[in-house]
Amino acid sequence: MALASWFGWNDPPMRISQRSPTEMVIETLMMELGWQIKEAEKQQRERENEYRKIKTGVDYGWLVSYPKHSYDISPGERLQLEDMCSKIHPSYCGPVIIRFRQLVAEYEPEASEVSRLFRSVLHDAVEKIKEEEDAKRLAKQWNTKHKTSLSLTTFKSRTRISPFSSGIKTISEDVERGTDPARRAWSMPEFRSTKDY
């Protein structure tokens, strides 16, 4: 019996379970939300300090200690946001984060408003994904229907229509000559077979 088998250093390393792409998207988007909330709190504190400086004329910011993270979203709202994040395809994760950052930079929301802004970005992304899936589905349906009907349209007719042929008699010619048209069929284009050409 080998003594090395008693020790764990010869065992193969235990692999951490692989997470699904959906879990990765949820984690990434929720981390981005948490970071943006912290940044919004930080900017809000800086705005308050600037306001106090302007109001009092003295900077007491070095005396004040702030909590690390004071605002947190409710568990129910977190679950709803995670559910919306699960509907995001991994290829849309980056564009969603970019759009979210653009809106945060544009509106400079307070910490309590960041989650609503995030929800609107997720909702827009889910709608866009649905629209693209519907368009793909319709294109696929069109292509399958169109392939079957193309076999009928590729058949070329041997009959050709020549509406500007000089030998066509029309009603207007009879009016100009002052005669009654014998048949109305003269105004129709002339049909010729390809053998006539």
Side-chain angles (χ1 to χ4, degrees):
M1 186 155 134
L3 189 60
S5 65
W6 289 10
F7 300 105
W9 63 70
N10 285 339
D11 292 340
M14 298 291 282
R15 287 189 163 231
I16 299 173
S17 65
Q18 295 291 329
R19 291 182 293 184
S20 70
T22 304
E23 291 172 347
M24 295 291 287
V25 168
I26 292 170
E27 184 179 335
T28 303
L29 292 175
M30 294 307 288
M31 283 175 43
E32 180 68 24
L33 173 64
W35 184 78
Q36 290 294 344
I37 288 173
K38 288 179 186 178
E39 286 297 310
E41 286 178 339
K42 181 179 172 184
Q43 288 179 355
Q44 188 174 355
R45 284 193 300 265
E46 288 173 0
R47 284 191 296 261
E48 289 171 358
N49 285 341
E50 288 296 320
Y51 176 73
R52 269 192 237 117
K53 266 193 234 180
I54 292 170
K55 187 177 175 185
T56 61
V58 183
D59 182 16
Y60 292 111
W62 56 275
L63 282 174
V64 181
S65 63
Y66 293 103
K68 292 288 183 187
H69 186 62
S70 61
Y71 179 77
D72 200 14
I73 58 177
S74 68
E77 186 176 6
R78 176 174 289 280
L79 288 173
Q80 289 175 351
L81 291 173
E82 286 177 355
D83 182 52
M84 288 183 77
C85 289
S86 69
K87 296 175 184 172
I88 304 293
H89 191 271
S91 63
Y92 285 92
C93 187
V96 165
I97 290 173
I98 290 171
R99 180 66 181 148
F100 181 50
R101 288 178 181 176
Q102 287 172 344
L103 290 178
V104 167
E106 182 180 338
Y107 293 116
E108 295 181 358
E110 293 184 12
S112 60
E113 298 169 341
V114 173
S115 62
R116 281 180 272 165
L117 195 61
F118 185 64
R119 182 185 302 272
S120 70
V121 170
L122 290 176
H123 180 67
D124 291 345
V126 168
E127 290 297 317
K128 185 176 181 181
I129 290 170
K130 283 182 184 177
E131 287 174 6
E132 288 181 1
E133 287 175 354
D134 289 343
K136 285 179 184 177
R137 184 175 38 80
L138 288 174
K140 186 177 180 181
Q141 287 177 352
W142 171 257
N143 287 337
T144 56
K145 287 180 182 177
H146 202 261
K147 284 178 186 176
T148 58
S149 65
L150 275 180
S151 63
L152 298 174
T153 59
T154 55
F155 172 73
K156 291 188 177 181
S157 174
R158 291 191 178 134
T159 306
R160 296 194 180 218
I161 299 174
S162 303
F164 300 109
S165 174
S166 63
I168 299 176
K169 295 181 181 179
T170 61
I171 295 175
S172 63
E173 290 176 1
D174 291 332
V175 171
E176 289 174 0
R177 284 189 230 142
T179 61
D180 282 335
R183 292 182 293 164
R184 184 163 173 83
W186 288 353
S187 65
M188 296 295 295
E190 184 178 348
F191 291 94
R192 292 186 186 175
S193 173
T194 54
K195 296 176 187 175
D196 297 341
Y197 290 114

